[in-house]
Amino acid sequence: MAEAVKVVDDVTFEDLLANPYPVFKRVRDLGPVVKVEAANIMMVTRFDDIMAIERDPETFSSVNPQSLLNTVIGPNLMRKDGADHARERAAIDPSLRPGVVKRCWAEPMQAICADVISRIEHKGEAELFEDLAAPIAARALCDILGIDGVDWPTMVLWSQSLIDGSGNYSHNPEIARKAKEAARGVESAVNRMLPHHRDNPNASMLSSMLQAGQTTEQIYANIKVAIGGGLNEPRDSILTLILGLLQNPDQLARIRAEPSLWGQAFEEAVRWISPIGMYPRRLTRDVEISGTLVREGEQVGLCVGAANHDDRRFSDPEKFDVFREKKSHLAFGAGSHFCAGTWVSRALVSQIAVPMVFERLRNLRLKAPELVRVRGWVFRGPTHMPVVWDA
Ligand code: HEM
């Protein structure tokens, strides 16, 4: 007989925001699908269950008529399945493939990182969220999207406003207003750039969508997806990788002696603190997930952050260990919606930004470990990281 979904009702939303990993562990040990009242979601937290779900998109659909994401940014590729999704995905992929990243984006990303670092290099101290990671991630994204003339704080504001609007289940009017304003800002930037990309086909995402014959509505929506989903994560993973290495100087020393290890270090950082902790799927029929019955129409939260700490797969999962046994993780998701920005993020964070930080900020160290703040559960990363170095 199938088991019913268990319920956890003594965890607060603040517990999740402060540190979801103890909650994830408890939920993972309790059952394959557990309703967590504070988040109002049924969590799937085990690695193998999420992999199995992602192999069956007909049962576990990305389409959701109630999705606030669609309301806020318009019908977009993240909430589509099958051929509808594949067409829109094929329209953006040409600007994000590994070869294109190498040929077209590596050099501008290198120049952005060099510029951002040169502004702080002489100071001997900085707060790395605001002074380093946010400007690098936002400016790199502008180049890749093909948007000029928008400064990085505006990109950060748009990204956060769209994310907040997509999670605004309490219908807070101020959050809704800001999300609308951000959506209008993105649309007017797109309108301003379209003639240039029409006349000068290039590798940017905007140009790629035009070349694929996407409608203006599709372009608006998927550029908003990329702004909402392509800024925080590289920003947060830059900071997470730096944090992991500053807390583990022996690992840093080995990587600096053998730079081919930077890629491995990045994968460990996003496993350790996954920038996206959870994303949803909706059931198209009644189904058992490892013996627990979930009904048609229900939504489950695939907690990839939890799966990346599943001790059935990763030993000592709470530990940052670049040299752990090599195994794939779920930080970029899996299946047809696997992150489109994976290769650009790998290049930006592990080949360019973080190696340059350790190269140019000599003897980099945390100003005081207790000043570091890490927060969030659906999106998680360091939010405050003061450091010092020998200027
Ligand atoms: C460390 C960096 C990143 C992480 C950890 C990350 C994580 C993810 C995850 C987990 C998903 C799957 C969501 C789902 O299935 O519902 C996703 C999808 C996506 N990501 Fe990323 N992301 C990162 C960077 C980026 C960047 C830089 C871009 C854009 C330049 C980007 C664009 C996208 C897009 C467009 C999708 C939707 C793909 C689809 O639905 O087919 N991501 N990302």
Side-chain angles (χ1 to χ4, degrees):
M1 239 239 339
E3 281 205 35
V5 172
K6 296 199 173 82
V7 177
V8 167
D9 59 6
D10 58 350
V11 161
T12 65
F13 198 64
E14 178 53 33
D15 291 336
L16 278 168
L17 289 176
N19 184 3
Y21 289 108
V23 181
F24 284 159
K25 177 168 174 38
R26 190 174 147 204
V27 166
R28 222 173 29 235
D29 292 345
L30 198 60
V33 190
V34 175
K35 170 104 191 256
V36 176
E37 293 284 10
N40 193 24
I41 195 135
M42 286 196 272
M43 292 186 176
V44 179
T45 50
R46 297 176 184 171
F47 191 94
D48 290 346
D49 288 334
I50 294 182
M51 286 301 288
I53 285 172
E54 290 288 46
R55 277 193 285 269
D56 183 6
E58 285 186 5
T59 306
F60 299 94
S61 172
S62 294
V63 177
N64 181 358
Q66 266 104 51
S67 159
L68 263 180
L69 185 68
N70 277 353
T71 316
V72 169
I73 75 173
N76 62 86
L77 86 165
M78 278 181 81
R79 291 288 169 271
K80 291 181 182 173
D81 286 334
D84 290 344
H85 166 259
R87 264 193 302 276
E88 294 190 15
R89 179 66 188 245
I92 64 167
D93 274 347
S95 63
L96 297 166
R97 290 200 182 104
V100 177
V101 171
K102 213 169 169 180
R103 255 196 335 276
C104 304
W105 306 130
E107 218 178 282
M109 291 192 306
Q110 187 96 23
I112 289 168
C113 293
D115 179 56
V116 170
I117 293 174
S118 69
R119 289 165 195 254
I120 57 172
E121 204 169 18
H122 60 284
K123 293 184 178 166
E125 72 174 296
E127 192 288 294
L128 290 185
F129 182 97
E130 199 67 24
D131 296 337
L132 182 103
I136 287 178
R139 288 173 59 181
L141 187 62
C142 277
D143 275 9
I144 294 158
L145 299 184
I147 293 181
D148 290 345
V150 178
D151 59 15
W152 72 262
T154 304
M155 284 292 282
V156 169
L157 177 69
W158 285 349
S159 176
Q160 197 56 50
S161 303
L162 292 171
I163 289 171
D164 293 344
S166 309
N168 186 19
Y169 288 97
S170 60
H171 302 290
N172 178 316
E174 183 54 15
I175 293 177
R177 188 192 63 74
K178 282 190 179 160
K180 251 198 194 124
E181 207 170 288
R184 273 200 299 269
V186 175
E187 287 169 18
S188 72
V190 168
N191 291 341
R192 189 168 43 74
M193 295 307 302
L194 282 180
H196 166 79
H197 291 298
R198 227 174 251 125
D199 295 346
N200 306 280
N202 58 74
S204 72
M205 198 186 285
L206 258 173
S207 176
S208 166
M209 287 195 278
L210 276 175
Q211 291 171 59
Q214 296 278 284
T215 66
T216 308
E217 293 308 313
Q218 287 171 314
I219 293 176
Y220 285 160
N222 290 332
I223 287 286
K224 287 177 209 157
V225 164
I227 293 178
L231 197 157
N232 285 22
E233 300 80 357
R235 177 195 69 200
D236 297 350
S237 57
I238 287 172
L239 295 171
T240 296
L241 178 52
I242 295 174
L243 180 64
L245 293 174
L246 291 181
Q247 289 175 341
N248 295 275
D250 50 330
Q251 295 184 41
L252 173 61
R254 281 180 68 184
I255 293 160
R256 296 198 68 189
E258 203 183 320
S260 64
L261 293 170
W262 277 114
Q264 195 171 317
F266 171 70
E267 302 303 325
E268 173 60 0
V270 295
R271 183 207 65 80
W272 181 49
I273 302 180
S274 301
I276 294 187
M278 186 278 289
Y279 55 82
R281 294 289 183 258
R282 195 181 48 84
L283 273 76
T284 58
R285 61 180 178 90
D286 291 358
V287 76
E288 279 182 31
I289 300 173
S290 289
T292 295
L293 179 66
V294 188
R295 297 281 185 194
E296 177 181 346
E298 304 258 41
Q299 186 158 284
V300 287
L302 306 190
C303 296
V304 287
N308 286 338
H309 281 218
D310 186 343
D311 53 16
R312 293 166 190 81
R313 182 169 179 85
F314 302 103
S315 58
D316 221 350
E318 312 301 322
K319 209 170 128 191
F320 176 84
D321 180 5
V322 172
F323 304 101
R324 66 171 56 251
E325 188 190 343
K326 257 197 195 157
K327 282 182 178 168
S328 63
H329 57 73
L330 278 165
F332 292 107
S336 60
H337 291 273
F338 181 76
C339 175
T342 304
W343 296 276
V344 89
S345 305
R346 284 178 174 148
L348 174 64
V349 181
S350 74
Q351 305 305 319
I352 301 173
V354 180
M356 199 186 286
V357 163
F358 282 105
E359 195 55 44
R360 293 196 28 192
L361 307 182
R362 269 185 313 121
N363 192 18
L364 184 71
R365 54 219 185 263
L366 294 174
K367 186 166 182 181
E370 65 277 12
L371 295 179
V372 176
R373 299 273 174 276
V374 182
R375 199 166 160 82
W377 80 281
V378 174
F379 293 92
R380 184 167 178 81
T383 55
H384 189 69
M385 215 167 119
V387 291
V388 291
W389 61 91
D390 304 339

PDB file of all heavy atoms in Angstrom, residues 2 5 7 52 54 72 79 92 108 131 195 202 215 217 233 256 266 299 355 390:
ATOM      1  N   ALA A   2       0.452   2.219  -0.828  1.00  0.00           N
ATOM      2  CA  ALA A   2       1.242   3.462  -0.885  1.00  0.00           C
ATOM      3  C   ALA A   2       1.108   4.249   0.411  1.00  0.00           C
ATOM      4  O   ALA A   2       0.063   4.235   1.052  1.00  0.00           O
ATOM      5  CB  ALA A   2       0.738   4.311  -2.048  1.00  0.00           C
ATOM      6  N   VAL A   5       1.652  11.284   2.188  1.00  0.00           N
ATOM      7  CA  VAL A   5       2.704  12.299   2.336  1.00  0.00           C
ATOM      8  C   VAL A   5       2.789  12.707   3.806  1.00  0.00           C
ATOM      9  O   VAL A   5       1.772  13.037   4.416  1.00  0.00           O
ATOM     10  CB  VAL A   5       2.367  13.531   1.458  1.00  0.00           C
ATOM     11  CG1 VAL A   5       3.327  14.684   1.725  1.00  0.00           C
ATOM     12  CG2 VAL A   5       2.364  13.152  -0.020  1.00  0.00           C
ATOM     13  N   VAL A   7       3.989  15.187   7.021  1.00  0.00           N
ATOM     14  CA  VAL A   7       3.928  16.646   7.148  1.00  0.00           C
ATOM     15  C   VAL A   7       4.901  17.117   8.216  1.00  0.00           C
ATOM     16  O   VAL A   7       5.003  16.501   9.283  1.00  0.00           O
ATOM     17  CB  VAL A   7       2.490  17.099   7.525  1.00  0.00           C
ATOM     18  CG1 VAL A   7       2.434  18.616   7.735  1.00  0.00           C
ATOM     19  CG2 VAL A   7       1.497  16.673   6.454  1.00  0.00           C
ATOM     20  N   ALA A  52      14.869  10.447 -11.105  1.00  0.00           N
ATOM     21  CA  ALA A  52      13.784   9.669 -11.727  1.00  0.00           C
ATOM     22  C   ALA A  52      12.675  10.606 -12.210  1.00  0.00           C
ATOM     23  O   ALA A  52      12.123  10.426 -13.303  1.00  0.00           O
ATOM     24  CB  ALA A  52      13.237   8.658 -10.721  1.00  0.00           C
ATOM     25  N   GLU A  54      12.958  13.731 -13.160  1.00  0.00           N
ATOM     26  CA  GLU A  54      13.401  14.493 -14.333  1.00  0.00           C
ATOM     27  C   GLU A  54      13.476  13.643 -15.601  1.00  0.00           C
ATOM     28  O   GLU A  54      13.542  14.176 -16.700  1.00  0.00           O
ATOM     29  CB  GLU A  54      14.750  15.167 -14.052  1.00  0.00           C
ATOM     30  CG  GLU A  54      14.664  16.325 -13.043  1.00  0.00           C
ATOM     31  CD  GLU A  54      13.982  17.573 -13.592  1.00  0.00           C
ATOM     32  OE1 GLU A  54      12.919  17.445 -14.223  1.00  0.00           O
ATOM     33  OE2 GLU A  54      14.520  18.675 -13.384  1.00  0.00           O
ATOM     34  N   VAL A  72       3.979  37.045 -14.104  1.00  0.00           N
ATOM     35  CA  VAL A  72       4.901  38.173 -13.966  1.00  0.00           C
ATOM     36  C   VAL A  72       5.712  38.416 -15.230  1.00  0.00           C
ATOM     37  O   VAL A  72       5.902  39.554 -15.643  1.00  0.00           O
ATOM     38  CB  VAL A  72       5.843  37.943 -12.751  1.00  0.00           C
ATOM     39  CG1 VAL A  72       6.980  38.930 -12.721  1.00  0.00           C
ATOM     40  CG2 VAL A  72       5.040  38.042 -11.463  1.00  0.00           C
ATOM     41  N   ARG A  79       8.276  27.197 -18.181  1.00  0.00           N
ATOM     42  CA  ARG A  79       6.962  26.623 -17.842  1.00  0.00           C
ATOM     43  C   ARG A  79       6.312  25.987 -19.065  1.00  0.00           C
ATOM     44  O   ARG A  79       5.106  26.024 -19.224  1.00  0.00           O
ATOM     45  CB  ARG A  79       6.056  27.714 -17.240  1.00  0.00           C
ATOM     46  CG  ARG A  79       6.499  28.191 -15.876  1.00  0.00           C
ATOM     47  CD  ARG A  79       6.255  27.138 -14.785  1.00  0.00           C
ATOM     48  NE  ARG A  79       6.922  27.512 -13.552  1.00  0.00           N
ATOM     49  CZ  ARG A  79       8.187  27.178 -13.254  1.00  0.00           C
ATOM     50  NH1 ARG A  79       8.910  26.438 -14.086  1.00  0.00           N
ATOM     51  NH2 ARG A  79       8.737  27.565 -12.130  1.00  0.00           N
ATOM     52  N   ILE A  92      17.612  29.938 -27.911  1.00  0.00           N
ATOM     53  CA  ILE A  92      18.622  30.612 -27.070  1.00  0.00           C
ATOM     54  C   ILE A  92      19.944  29.846 -26.999  1.00  0.00           C
ATOM     55  O   ILE A  92      21.000  30.444 -26.798  1.00  0.00           O
ATOM     56  CB  ILE A  92      18.121  30.903 -25.630  1.00  0.00           C
ATOM     57  CG1 ILE A  92      17.823  29.618 -24.856  1.00  0.00           C
ATOM     58  CG2 ILE A  92      16.914  31.820 -25.630  1.00  0.00           C
ATOM     59  CD1 ILE A  92      17.628  29.863 -23.360  1.00  0.00           C
ATOM     60  N   PRO A 108      35.325  39.279 -23.475  1.00  0.00           N
ATOM     61  CA  PRO A 108      34.613  40.346 -22.748  1.00  0.00           C
ATOM     62  C   PRO A 108      34.453  40.057 -21.249  1.00  0.00           C
ATOM     63  O   PRO A 108      34.554  40.977 -20.429  1.00  0.00           O
ATOM     64  CB  PRO A 108      33.237  40.427 -23.428  1.00  0.00           C
ATOM     65  CG  PRO A 108      33.215  39.429 -24.515  1.00  0.00           C
ATOM     66  CD  PRO A 108      34.569  38.815 -24.656  1.00  0.00           C
ATOM     67  N   ASP A 131      30.870  44.837  -4.189  1.00  0.00           N
ATOM     68  CA  ASP A 131      32.025  45.417  -4.886  1.00  0.00           C
ATOM     69  C   ASP A 131      32.586  44.517  -5.977  1.00  0.00           C
ATOM     70  O   ASP A 131      33.389  44.967  -6.785  1.00  0.00           O
ATOM     71  CB  ASP A 131      33.170  45.707  -3.884  1.00  0.00           C
ATOM     72  CG  ASP A 131      32.763  46.759  -2.863  1.00  0.00           C
ATOM     73  OD1 ASP A 131      31.840  47.546  -3.147  1.00  0.00           O
ATOM     74  OD2 ASP A 131      33.363  46.790  -1.765  1.00  0.00           O
ATOM     75  N   PRO A 195      16.488  46.766 -33.170  1.00  0.00           N
ATOM     76  CA  PRO A 195      16.939  47.165 -34.515  1.00  0.00           C
ATOM     77  C   PRO A 195      18.423  46.863 -34.745  1.00  0.00           C
ATOM     78  O   PRO A 195      18.801  46.352 -35.807  1.00  0.00           O
ATOM     79  CB  PRO A 195      16.685  48.687 -34.538  1.00  0.00           C
ATOM     80  CG  PRO A 195      15.661  48.923 -33.477  1.00  0.00           C
ATOM     81  CD  PRO A 195      15.866  47.870 -32.436  1.00  0.00           C
ATOM     82  N   ASN A 202      24.482  38.518 -34.550  1.00  0.00           N
ATOM     83  CA  ASN A 202      25.672  38.248 -33.733  1.00  0.00           C
ATOM     84  C   ASN A 202      25.360  37.109 -32.760  1.00  0.00           C
ATOM     85  O   ASN A 202      24.306  36.492 -32.846  1.00  0.00           O
ATOM     86  CB  ASN A 202      26.074  39.537 -32.989  1.00  0.00           C
ATOM     87  CG  ASN A 202      24.935  40.048 -32.125  1.00  0.00           C
ATOM     88  OD1 ASN A 202      24.637  39.479 -31.084  1.00  0.00           O
ATOM     89  ND2 ASN A 202      24.258  41.105 -32.564  1.00  0.00           N
ATOM     90  N   THR A 215       8.837  35.421 -31.643  1.00  0.00           N
ATOM     91  CA  THR A 215       8.004  36.627 -31.604  1.00  0.00           C
ATOM     92  C   THR A 215       8.537  37.575 -30.517  1.00  0.00           C
ATOM     93  O   THR A 215       9.293  37.159 -29.627  1.00  0.00           O
ATOM     94  CB  THR A 215       6.552  36.272 -31.234  1.00  0.00           C
ATOM     95  OG1 THR A 215       6.556  35.772 -29.878  1.00  0.00           O
ATOM     96  CG2 THR A 215       5.961  35.230 -32.169  1.00  0.00           C
ATOM     97  N   GLU A 217       6.911  38.767 -28.073  1.00  0.00           N
ATOM     98  CA  GLU A 217       6.449  38.275 -26.764  1.00  0.00           C
ATOM     99  C   GLU A 217       7.368  37.181 -26.231  1.00  0.00           C
ATOM    100  O   GLU A 217       7.706  37.160 -25.041  1.00  0.00           O
ATOM    101  CB  GLU A 217       5.013  37.713 -26.868  1.00  0.00           C
ATOM    102  CG  GLU A 217       3.943  38.755 -27.179  1.00  0.00           C
ATOM    103  CD  GLU A 217       3.979  39.961 -26.238  1.00  0.00           C
ATOM    104  OE1 GLU A 217       4.071  39.726 -25.025  1.00  0.00           O
ATOM    105  OE2 GLU A 217       3.944  41.119 -26.716  1.00  0.00           O
ATOM    106  N   GLU A 233      22.776  33.526  -9.768  1.00  0.00           N
ATOM    107  CA  GLU A 233      23.490  32.256  -9.602  1.00  0.00           C
ATOM    108  C   GLU A 233      24.986  32.393  -9.858  1.00  0.00           C
ATOM    109  O   GLU A 233      25.775  31.943  -9.019  1.00  0.00           O
ATOM    110  CB  GLU A 233      22.861  31.164 -10.480  1.00  0.00           C
ATOM    111  CG  GLU A 233      21.411  30.879 -10.180  1.00  0.00           C
ATOM    112  CD  GLU A 233      20.463  31.890 -10.810  1.00  0.00           C
ATOM    113  OE1 GLU A 233      20.966  32.846 -11.433  1.00  0.00           O
ATOM    114  OE2 GLU A 233      19.251  31.732 -10.685  1.00  0.00           O
ATOM    115  N   ARG A 256      45.805  26.380  -6.650  1.00  0.00           N
ATOM    116  CA  ARG A 256      46.674  27.403  -7.251  1.00  0.00           C
ATOM    117  C   ARG A 256      47.925  26.768  -7.842  1.00  0.00           C
ATOM    118  O   ARG A 256      48.453  27.242  -8.847  1.00  0.00           O
ATOM    119  CB  ARG A 256      47.037  28.464  -6.216  1.00  0.00           C
ATOM    120  CG  ARG A 256      45.781  29.224  -5.763  1.00  0.00           C
ATOM    121  CD  ARG A 256      46.115  30.518  -5.108  1.00  0.00           C
ATOM    122  NE  ARG A 256      46.665  31.457  -6.070  1.00  0.00           N
ATOM    123  CZ  ARG A 256      47.206  32.614  -5.737  1.00  0.00           C
ATOM    124  NH1 ARG A 256      47.292  32.958  -4.475  1.00  0.00           N
ATOM    125  NH2 ARG A 256      47.663  33.428  -6.659  1.00  0.00           N
ATOM    126  N   PHE A 266      34.779  24.583  -8.770  1.00  0.00           N
ATOM    127  CA  PHE A 266      33.485  25.230  -9.021  1.00  0.00           C
ATOM    128  C   PHE A 266      32.336  24.236  -8.826  1.00  0.00           C
ATOM    129  O   PHE A 266      31.324  24.543  -8.181  1.00  0.00           O
ATOM    130  CB  PHE A 266      33.468  25.782 -10.455  1.00  0.00           C
ATOM    131  CG  PHE A 266      32.115  26.274 -10.891  1.00  0.00           C
ATOM    132  CD1 PHE A 266      31.577  27.427 -10.347  1.00  0.00           C
ATOM    133  CD2 PHE A 266      31.381  25.582 -11.848  1.00  0.00           C
ATOM    134  CE1 PHE A 266      30.321  27.883 -10.745  1.00  0.00           C
ATOM    135  CE2 PHE A 266      30.130  26.033 -12.248  1.00  0.00           C
ATOM    136  CZ  PHE A 266      29.603  27.186 -11.695  1.00  0.00           C
ATOM    137  N   GLN A 299       1.625  20.025  -6.804  1.00  0.00           N
ATOM    138  CA  GLN A 299       2.946  20.488  -7.209  1.00  0.00           C
ATOM    139  C   GLN A 299       3.984  19.946  -6.218  1.00  0.00           C
ATOM    140  O   GLN A 299       3.732  19.959  -5.012  1.00  0.00           O
ATOM    141  CB  GLN A 299       2.938  22.010  -7.202  1.00  0.00           C
ATOM    142  CG  GLN A 299       4.196  22.612  -7.745  1.00  0.00           C
ATOM    143  CD  GLN A 299       3.973  24.036  -8.228  1.00  0.00           C
ATOM    144  OE1 GLN A 299       3.410  24.259  -9.284  1.00  0.00           O
ATOM    145  NE2 GLN A 299       4.407  24.986  -7.447  1.00  0.00           N
ATOM    146  N   PRO A 355      39.770  32.708 -10.306  1.00  0.00           N
ATOM    147  CA  PRO A 355      41.240  32.672 -10.406  1.00  0.00           C
ATOM    148  C   PRO A 355      41.849  34.077 -10.430  1.00  0.00           C
ATOM    149  O   PRO A 355      42.880  34.317  -9.796  1.00  0.00           O
ATOM    150  CB  PRO A 355      41.487  31.943 -11.741  1.00  0.00           C
ATOM    151  CG  PRO A 355      40.265  31.119 -11.957  1.00  0.00           C
ATOM    152  CD  PRO A 355      39.128  31.884 -11.350  1.00  0.00           C
ATOM    153  N   ASP A 390      46.519  42.215   0.933  1.00  0.00           N
ATOM    154  CA  ASP A 390      47.699  43.087   1.002  1.00  0.00           C
ATOM    155  C   ASP A 390      47.713  43.968  -0.242  1.00  0.00           C
ATOM    156  O   ASP A 390      48.013  43.484  -1.332  1.00  0.00           O
ATOM    157  CB  ASP A 390      48.991  42.251   1.046  1.00  0.00           C
ATOM    158  CG  ASP A 390      48.965  41.276   2.217  1.00  0.00           C
ATOM    159  OD1 ASP A 390      48.196  41.515   3.179  1.00  0.00           O
ATOM    160  OD2 ASP A 390      49.695  40.262   2.157  1.00  0.00           O
TER     161      ASP A 390
END
